[in-house]
Amino acid sequence: MNLEIKQAILQKIKEYDRIIIMRHFRPDGDAIGSTKGLWTILRDSFPEKEIYLLNEDYSNHLAFLGGESEPIPDELYADALCIVLDTGTIDRASSKKHALCKEIVKIDHHIDHNPYGDLSWVEDFRSSVCEMVVDFYDTFKGELVLSKEAATYLYAGMVTDSGRFRFDSVTGDTLRLAAILLDAGIDTEVLFANLYLKEFEQFKFQAHIYDAMRITENGVAYVYVDRAMQEKFGLSPEDASASVGYMEKIKGCLCWIAFIEAPTEEKTIRVRLRSRFAHINTIAENHHGGGHACASGATVYSEAEMAQLVAEADALIKEYKESHEGWL
């Protein structure tokens, strides 16, 4: 699919001697996997080029995947191609220095409400951007190199963003592309151990979430992880955000939401919204966010706005249940 845009992106890569790769801030597995995977593919395929992976934050949970490039002087951006992955809007890029680059390429799988880039390849039906990077490799595999290292990064992003291949965005193409990565010799046992084993304290936090969460009349489960709770359980931002996944298996709940109080200086509450069947991205868009139909993020600025968002989600789920059959 989209052969012409992929050919144009490969041509741009060939034209530039210096390429800088970026993703969104507060990165998840797909953001890290896709950028590290593409970075490794391009370094192995074009050893004569300068290929940098430059971001201003990382994920402690995914630190086992290794480091990235050291910062470079600002003047080196001027004649560079910047490739931004898994970033729906340019204001969410993990470094503002993309503006210093000569040209920008966007590769993304979010709904394209705010287009950017000199070249833009967006496929919002894809389960992950990692899937798109593997597709890019597969399209030009006569010219590109896929190592076991690159395959491991990309597989990590595919399994995390697809819910271990459970979400409805997973297609036959997803699994066929995942098979290419498995054929590269990934050690899935080691990878899954790093991704999913938890410290004992995290299980205490999970038990606490079940006690603290609330459920609305129409089936929206939600929890507020304030700073006191984060300090009590020694949570990283990733640990706190994981709370949204603890509520996904409640029968009758078609939406579940985690509110994560940010550090004091930010004065914000981060929101993780997930749903089954019903599309909740419009609610996220009403609250300084967006994302996928059934998996979005937002930001609210008070407990009153938090209550407003829950009320909007409850009304949406009520309408969905009344107008649809076959939900559980």
Side-chain angles (χ1 to χ4, degrees):
M1 299 181 183
N2 288 331
L3 179 58
E4 289 186 5
I5 188 64
K6 288 186 285 187
Q7 289 174 327
I9 291 172
L10 180 61
Q11 184 57 41
K12 282 296 178 188
I13 289 169
K14 291 179 177 178
E15 288 175 11
Y16 279 83
D17 293 326
R18 184 177 300 116
I19 299 169
I20 295 169
I21 299 172
M22 297 180 183
R23 57 173 174 259
H24 62 76
F25 60 81
R26 295 200 293 268
D28 57 4
D30 189 29
I32 290 177
S34 61
T35 50
K36 288 181 73 66
L38 183 62
W39 181 44
T40 306
I41 287 172
L42 295 186
R43 285 190 303 165
D44 292 342
S45 304
F46 304 101
E48 74 283 1
K49 295 180 182 292
E50 296 178 38
I51 315 287
Y52 299 99
L53 179 53
L54 295 168
N55 295 282
E56 295 176 5
D57 62 356
Y58 202 62
S59 163
N60 292 331
H61 175 61
L62 296 166
F64 72 92
L65 291 174
E68 303 182 347
S69 303
E70 294 296 321
I72 61 174
D74 285 0
E75 56 266 25
L76 293 183
Y77 286 79
D79 58 353
L81 174 68
C82 182
I83 305 178
V84 184
L85 295 95
D86 197 34
T87 305
T89 58
I90 196 63
D91 60 298
R92 297 196 71 241
S94 60
S95 170
K96 303 307 178 187
K97 293 183 179 180
H98 57 78
L100 303 176
C101 294
K102 188 173 182 180
E103 290 187 280
I104 295 176
V105 170
K106 174 183 181 180
I107 302 176
D108 188 39
H109 74 139
H110 296 93
I111 299 170
D112 199 16
H113 290 308
N114 300 101
Y116 65 87
D118 299 279
L119 288 174
S120 178
W121 175 27
V122 177
E123 296 185 346
D124 58 23
F125 59 88
R126 293 283 190 178
S127 68
S128 65
V129 173
C130 283
E131 179 181 335
M132 295 174 68
V133 174
V134 184
D135 175 65
F136 186 75
Y137 159 76
D138 190 47
T139 302
F140 304 112
K141 56 190 173 187
E143 301 180 73
L144 301 177
V145 176
L146 179 72
S147 66
K148 177 181 176 181
E149 178 187 5
T152 299
Y153 299 145
L154 293 166
Y155 197 77
M158 287 185 78
V159 298
T160 54
D161 231 38
S162 68
R164 284 182 264 189
F165 305 110
R166 292 184 298 113
F167 298 158
D168 63 3
S169 55
V170 173
T171 66
D173 280 340
T174 306
L175 298 180
R176 281 184 283 272
L177 292 167
I180 293 172
L181 302 177
L182 290 170
D183 289 344
I186 299 168
D187 189 333
T188 54
E189 187 171 4
V190 170
L191 177 61
F192 285 2
N194 277 287
L195 285 174
Y196 298 116
L197 293 183
K198 301 176 183 178
E199 298 290 343
F200 182 61
E201 287 299 316
Q202 289 178 275
F203 287 97
K204 291 184 179 180
F205 170 57
Q206 186 170 346
H208 183 76
I209 289 298
Y210 293 136
D211 186 56
M213 72 180 186
R214 299 291 180 264
I215 299 175
T216 67
E217 178 183 357
N218 296 294
V220 175
Y222 65 97
V223 70
Y224 181 30
V225 184
D226 61 16
R227 281 191 294 273
M229 192 186 302
Q230 294 174 50
E231 291 170 3
K232 176 180 178 179
F233 292 98
L235 303 176
S236 68
E238 292 89 351
D239 294 336
S241 293
S243 59
V244 71
Y246 301 156
M247 299 178 284
E248 69 172 336
K249 296 178 181 178
I250 303 170
K251 193 168 184 178
C253 286
L254 300 190
C255 177
W256 48 103
I257 308 169
F259 296 94
I260 315 298
E261 189 174 17
T264 307
E265 62 273 12
E266 291 189 30
K267 298 181 180 179
T268 61
I269 300 170
R270 300 167 187 165
V271 189
R272 298 291 179 267
L273 298 99
R274 302 292 184 267
S275 65
R276 182 174 293 109
F277 309 132
H279 293 183
I280 43 75
N281 56 298
T282 53
I283 293 175
E285 290 161 12
N286 291 339
H287 296 274
H288 320 285
H292 304 293
C294 296
S296 294
T299 302
V300 296
Y301 295 88
S302 66
E303 292 190 32
E305 189 179 358
M306 187 168 68
Q308 179 186 344
L309 189 151
V310 171
E312 291 173 17
D314 188 60
L316 184 148
I317 295 302
K318 180 178 187 293
E319 190 279 331
Y320 183 90
K321 287 182 175 181
E322 289 175 347
S323 58
H324 292 77
E325 297 179 354
W327 58 270
L328 300 181

